[in-house]
Amino acid sequence: MSGTSTLISEARISRGSQKVIASAVGLLCFFIIATAIPSGVLLISGGLVAVIALLTVAVLRISVTIEATDQNLLVRCRPFYSKTIPLEDVVDASPAPSSSMTEGFGVRYLGRRTWGLLVGGPAIVLETPQRTWLISTPDPESTAASVLAHAGKLRDR
């Protein structure tokens, strides 16, 4: 990445989804500990609960960002994934149609050369010659327009 970067979009998991995930994981951890006490494997189960809790915290903190520099787009699904896409490779960017695929979390392979960087909710479709990206964003219209504007600046040089 060269020069300064401009944050185009940042999306996070909604509070409602965070509460559902935390509640489900909390119940799971309670069940693991409750069943471990009579079976005598509390130490092992306690370690498992700690690992599950750490992974849950990482998932609840996922954010999807799109940043632009003079030459590249940097798409991230923090803390798990980062990809640099040359602006000259951007073929198109448009709001994604609403579907159940925009309701997942994390980095996903969606088939047909399509990858998702998702935290639920609205998204854009970013097309490059190599693959198609489905990227969560709170404002698909302005995000797609901004990506195309940055890509157009590079093409006009």
Side-chain angles (χ1 to χ4, degrees):
M1 205 160 79
S2 63
T4 61
S5 66
T6 303
L7 181 65
I8 294 175
S9 173
E10 181 173 26
R12 296 185 177 276
I13 296 176
S14 71
R15 290 277 183 215
S17 294
Q18 287 178 334
K19 288 178 183 177
V20 168
I21 293 167
S23 297
V25 170
L27 287 172
L28 171 69
C29 290
F30 175 78
F31 178 77
I32 290 170
I33 295 297
T35 57
I37 292 171
S39 63
V41 290
L42 187 57
L43 185 61
I44 294 169
S45 296
L48 178 62
V49 165
V51 169
I52 290 171
L54 288 173
L55 289 173
T56 301
V57 168
V59 167
L60 294 177
R61 296 182 55 96
I62 288 175
S63 67
V64 172
T65 60
I66 303 171
E67 294 178 47
T69 66
D70 292 340
Q71 303 292 319
N72 301 305
L73 281 180
L74 181 60
V75 294
R76 292 185 177 133
C77 185
R78 290 181 181 168
F80 304 110
Y81 183 82
S82 178
K83 174 73 175 176
T84 300
I85 302 170
L87 284 170
E88 63 192 19
D89 286 355
V90 173
V91 174
D92 194 18
S94 61
S98 183
S99 76
S100 61
M101 286 188 204
T102 60
E103 297 171 5
F105 307 112
V107 180
R108 293 184 171 194
Y109 178 67
L110 304 171
R112 296 185 179 168
R113 297 178 18 235
T114 302
W115 284 85
L117 303 179
L118 306 169
V119 291
I124 65 165
V125 175
L126 177 64
E127 294 180 42
T128 68
Q130 296 79 25
R131 67 180 51 126
T132 301
W133 297 90
L134 187 64
I135 305 171
S136 292
T137 178
D139 187 355
E141 293 285 339
S142 84
T143 300
S146 184
V147 166
L148 291 174
H150 280 86
K153 286 180 187 174
L154 182 65
R155 288 184 188 127
D156 292 341
R157 288 185 183 170

